Amino acid sequence: MLSLVVLASGRGSNFLAIQEAIEAGTLDAKIVLLLSDKPEAKALSIARAHGIPAKAFPPSAFSDQNAYEQALLDEIRQGPCDLIILAGYMKILGAAFIEAAPAPILNIHPSLLPSFPGLHAQRQAVQYGVKVSGCTVHFVDSGLDSGPIIAQRAVPVYGDDNEESLSARILVEEHQLYSEVLRWFAAGRVELDGRIVTITEGSI
Ligand code: GRF
């Protein structure tokens, strides 16, 4: 069973979708800890409602980014951790954190990377005028949404879309894709070679 530590800053719908897949018995994993940099994040109350240990970790409580990230690492190291899952975690993790992390770090981003990294990816897509967008689950490296791509799902972009309507369409796919990727990890099917990710054949 995969032990997951989730980092989330806000609404927590991706985190909840993963937890629901676990509760439905379709994902062999356990979320052992939910950490949030925002004490008011809805993700914290979702965690508590589902009996998941949850802690607010406001960066302002620490002297600098390094001290904050060291404390985060100390917290993560308290228990088992096979993967660190960023689910709407809005702070950039420093290279020192990424190097010292006890497990690979995954992120979900609401665009087809490498298009539209960074904030407001859906708004960027609408304003650019692309006809297809989507979401990407990727390994986290020290760049901005630049790590090896594990999986992507595409959605159409319509002429009358705005940031909100496109975000809603993408979010439906995000909720399915993150759990799907975690199933591959749980089955030991994810291989990384350089920046190329291969999903090996699964047994039935
Ligand atoms: C999602 O769109 C995710 O792709 C992005 O931030 C948003 C988080 O939403 N990284 P939620 O907190 O999971 O509802």
Side-chain angles (χ1 to χ4, degrees):
M1 185 194 289
L2 278 182
S3 295
L4 309 174
V5 173
V6 178
L7 272 56
S9 300
R11 180 177 62 175
S13 72
N14 277 286
F15 155 56
L16 179 59
I18 294 167
Q19 177 60 20
E20 286 178 342
I22 293 170
E23 289 173 9
T26 62
L27 171 61
D28 187 23
K30 181 177 178 169
I31 300 176
V32 295
L33 180 62
L34 180 285
L35 297 171
S36 180
D37 56 320
K38 300 260 192 262
E40 70 283 7
K42 199 172 161 212
L44 286 165
S45 50
I46 294 173
R48 292 183 183 122
H50 287 260
I52 298 166
K55 269 195 191 169
F57 247 78
S60 57
F62 300 89
S63 54
D64 57 20
Q65 161 113 357
N66 191 42
Y68 166 70
E69 292 190 346
Q70 282 311 315
L72 263 186
L73 281 172
D74 288 346
E75 194 64 42
I76 293 169
R77 289 197 194 101
Q78 299 294 310
C81 178
D82 297 310
L83 288 171
I84 297 170
I85 304 297
L86 307 189
Y89 182 69
M90 302 310 285
K91 266 189 84 62
I92 305 237
L93 291 168
F97 178 98
I98 293 165
E99 259 170 48
I105 308 168
L106 306 188
N107 182 41
I108 189 158
H109 182 78
S111 75
L112 295 176
L113 291 170
S115 291
F116 314 126
L119 291 175
H120 305 298
Q122 303 95 326
R123 188 192 305 170
Q124 293 183 55
V126 168
Q127 289 177 348
Y128 197 93
V130 293
K131 304 303 180 207
V132 176
S133 191
C135 54
T136 303
V137 175
H138 63 95
F139 285 104
V140 171
D141 66 10
S142 56
L144 179 63
D145 299 321
S146 61
I149 290 172
I150 302 168
Q152 297 184 300
R153 288 254 184 115
V155 303
V157 183
Y158 300 119
D160 59 355
D161 265 327
N162 53 31
E163 180 179 11
E164 205 173 48
S165 60
L166 180 59
S167 299
R169 194 174 307 123
I170 293 173
L171 195 63
V172 172
E173 303 301 323
E174 291 186 42
H175 290 166
Q176 297 174 9
L177 187 63
Y178 226 161
S179 295
E180 180 68 13
V181 164
L182 293 175
R183 272 181 216 112
W184 298 339
F185 275 95
R189 294 178 54 197
V190 182
E191 285 179 4
L192 175 64
D193 180 10
R195 65 166 297 124
I196 304 302
V197 176
T198 306
I199 310 306
T200 60
E201 287 287 308
S203 53
I204 301 176

